[in-house]
Amino acid sequence: MKILVLNCGSSSLKYQFIDMDTEKVIAKGLCERIGIDGSQLTHKVPGKEDFEEITPMPTHQTAVELVMKALTDKEHGVISDVSEISAVGHRVLHGGNKYSDPVIVNDDVKKVIRECFDLGPLHNPANLMGIEACEKAMPGTPNVAVFDTGFGMAMEPKAYMYAIPYEYYEKYHIRRYGFHGTSHKFVSNETIKFGNLPEGHRKVIVCHLGNGASISASIDGKCVDTSMGLTPLEGLIMGTRSGDVDPAVVQFIADHENISVDDVLTILNKKSGILGLSGISSDFRDVLQADAEGNERAKLANAAFRYRVVKYIGAYVAAMNGVDAITFTAGFGENNVDSRVMICDALSYLGIKIDKEANKERGKNMCISTPDSKVKVFVIPTNEELSIARDTLSLIK
Ligand code: ADP
């Protein structure tokens, strides 16, 4: 069976087409600048030259049709007819209080995705457009929604409730949801499998450190806590997001800069994090480079980022009354050898010891702790698309 995985953003659409017998990617690509001048499709097939096409894409519908065309094209296509697509798995940001597990899309699922527009204003509308475009382009092919909030929905009320008047939870479902759920689910399960963690020793902390960053604590693959909240703004310091701040900061900046709460939230989402602290870039590589060259604010941004990660790990060890494994994943977590060592050195009280040689490798599942380390430390590349494809397959089988 072959499954198409779609990840729709407000002006982009990423796709992977996966053969589920081998779990290999047969084709993947990206539509950029949907609804903006200069829309472009980039389509990649392993072993072939990339295919690029600059062509108007006024809507996600056009983008989906172009993807279908690319997949079935005589030269750079990989199937002869769209009927070879068994199902489409969609990454959906927010399933609200109603949906957590992956589900075959029907009218009620679409209604809930729509009801959650205000909880995921950038993503949920795009996710729904992607689903509706596939319904039109491939009538009868099942669409499956896999929610980014799914993993966090397993949290207990004591972990997900904000200590604000209870009526706001009842009226508006204001609670902590957590995001990057597909990644945390995939990586925590891979940690258990790859690390051969026996039953009763499956307390896992996953550090998903990318441009967006979050951390989760899980036991037996079930989420105990995770750092993002009602929206992805809470928790770790990220590329452009502040992570945790005292909510009073919002009012203070609004008053002193004479701007609206909306404007302050945009600043906290898009101009803060390591970009805001360093004043250099939201890309960790640039900020690490500047740090190495002696830039003081870059040094501060990196130190603050690592400190927040260490602080959350400490909190999650306490929340689970112990930890068996800590796993790093995503762009920074998978690639930044030095920061992993610095983070783990700050956790020496847990009896963590890093094998500096093993830590140098990249691009595969690795154990980077020494055999006598009290806590195992892993690097496991995340694969959200494969996780969505597996969930999709299990529903349509
Ligand atoms: P997202 O999916 O949230 O955009 P990614 O998981 O792709 O994020 O991670 C992107 C981030 O990873 C970027 O900030 C990039 O700088 C960082 N990154 C990639 N390689 C390295 C590296 N070798 N050292 C430090 N950071 C890296």
Side-chain angles (χ1 to χ4, degrees):
M1 276 200 199
K2 298 184 182 79
I3 300 226
L4 178 66
V5 177
L6 284 196
N7 183 356
C8 290
S10 49
S11 65
S12 70
L13 180 161
K14 284 189 214 151
Y15 62 95
Q16 280 197 8
F17 191 43
I18 302 177
D19 181 342
M20 295 312 288
D21 295 331
T22 57
E23 294 198 332
K24 291 258 177 316
V25 176
I26 327 171
K28 64 178 181 180
L30 168 69
C31 299
E32 293 168 281
R33 301 179 64 86
I34 300 171
I36 311 172
D37 280 352
S39 321
Q40 173 168 349
L41 165 88
T42 309
H43 177 77
K44 298 175 186 231
V45 176
K48 287 191 187 172
E49 223 168 86
D50 291 357
F51 168 73
E52 287 180 359
E53 188 179 7
I54 297 177
T55 179
M57 287 181 222
T59 62
H60 284 72
Q61 183 70 45
T62 335
V64 165
E65 281 161 13
L66 283 165
V67 173
M68 298 299 119
K69 211 169 130 228
L71 288 172
T72 53
D73 186 86
K74 280 212 173 64
E75 304 237 311
H76 46 262
V78 289
I79 46 174
S80 49
D81 193 86
V82 288
S83 61
E84 289 177 52
I85 301 172
S86 306
V88 188
H90 297 262
R91 180 178 186 178
V92 178
L93 184 82
H94 223 300
N97 235 8
K98 181 147 184 196
Y99 287 110
S100 50
D101 292 333
V103 59
I104 294 185
V105 174
N106 58 22
D107 286 344
D108 188 61
V109 175
K110 287 197 278 181
K111 182 168 154 264
V112 170
I113 296 174
R114 194 172 291 112
E115 282 166 4
C116 293
F117 277 6
D118 58 347
L119 290 171
L122 292 180
H123 295 85
N124 267 41
N127 302 151
L128 187 60
M129 280 193 270
I131 290 172
E132 290 181 333
C134 288
E135 286 175 337
K136 278 201 197 121
M138 291 171 279
T141 304
N143 288 288
V144 169
V146 180
F147 299 98
D148 227 25
T149 44
F151 185 72
M153 292 301 280
M155 279 188 278
E156 287 184 23
K158 67 181 178 193
Y160 72 66
M161 286 302 290
Y162 290 113
I164 57 177
Y166 195 79
E167 66 198 72
Y168 297 132
Y169 172 67
E170 292 176 311
K171 276 205 271 188
Y172 310 120
H173 308 305
I174 295 179
R175 52 162 280 178
R176 305 185 54 255
Y177 287 93
F179 296 84
H180 289 147
T182 311
S183 176
H184 285 289
K185 176 177 159 185
F186 179 83
V187 177
S188 51
N189 285 327
E190 286 292 304
T191 300
I192 292 170
K193 268 195 260 164
F194 177 71
N196 275 322
L197 303 188
E199 252 176 72
H201 296 275
R202 293 178 178 167
K203 293 177 177 169
V204 174
I205 293 176
V206 171
C207 307
H208 175 113
L209 310 179
N211 193 20
S214 64
I215 180 163
S216 70
S218 64
I219 301 180
D220 258 330
K222 182 173 173 280
C223 180
V224 171
D225 209 335
T226 183
S227 58
M228 286 175 164
L230 175 73
T231 76
L233 186 52
E234 191 178 336
L236 299 180
I237 293 173
M238 314 184 205
T240 62
R241 295 191 191 112
S242 62
D244 297 335
V245 289
D246 179 344
V249 166
V250 176
Q251 176 83 60
F252 197 94
I253 298 177
D255 286 352
H256 285 74
E257 293 280 312
N258 200 17
I259 55 178
S260 68
V261 166
D262 263 10
D263 293 337
V264 181
L265 283 176
T266 303
I267 291 168
L268 294 183
N269 270 302
K270 301 207 166 141
K271 297 191 174 160
S272 301
I274 58 157
L275 168 66
L277 274 179
S278 70
I280 293 170
S281 169
S282 63
D283 192 303
F284 283 99
R285 284 166 292 200
D286 300 337
V287 182
L288 287 163
Q289 175 73 31
D291 181 343
E293 288 162 4
N295 182 298
E296 283 305 319
R297 274 176 52 194
K299 207 175 281 305
L300 165 68
N302 289 322
F305 171 78
R306 290 192 301 267
Y307 176 75
R308 184 83 56 91
V309 174
V310 168
K311 196 164 100 169
Y312 262 91
I313 292 175
Y316 285 175
V317 172
M320 295 193 288
N321 191 13
V323 61
D324 298 299
I326 297 175
T327 302
F328 291 93
T329 194
F332 181 92
E334 287 167 33
N335 293 304
N336 200 261
V337 171
D338 297 339
S339 300
R340 287 199 299 253
V341 172
M342 287 191 243
I343 290 168
C344 290
D345 281 351
L347 297 166
S348 58
Y349 74 98
L350 291 173
I352 291 180
K353 290 189 200 158
I354 295 298
D355 176 338
K356 304 229 156 104
E357 279 307 305
N359 186 42
K360 281 186 189 152
E361 298 205 38
R362 284 190 198 181
K364 55 175 189 177
N365 288 1
M366 306 185 290
C367 177
I368 59 165
S369 50
T370 59
D372 63 337
S373 176
K374 290 222 173 75
V375 178
K376 291 187 169 147
V377 183
F378 300 102
V379 176
I380 295 189
T382 190
N383 193 338
E384 294 167 272
E385 289 79 11
L386 179 58
S387 182
I388 292 172
R390 283 181 184 165
D391 284 341
T392 303
L393 181 68
S394 69
L395 274 178
I396 59 154
K397 252 186 178 168

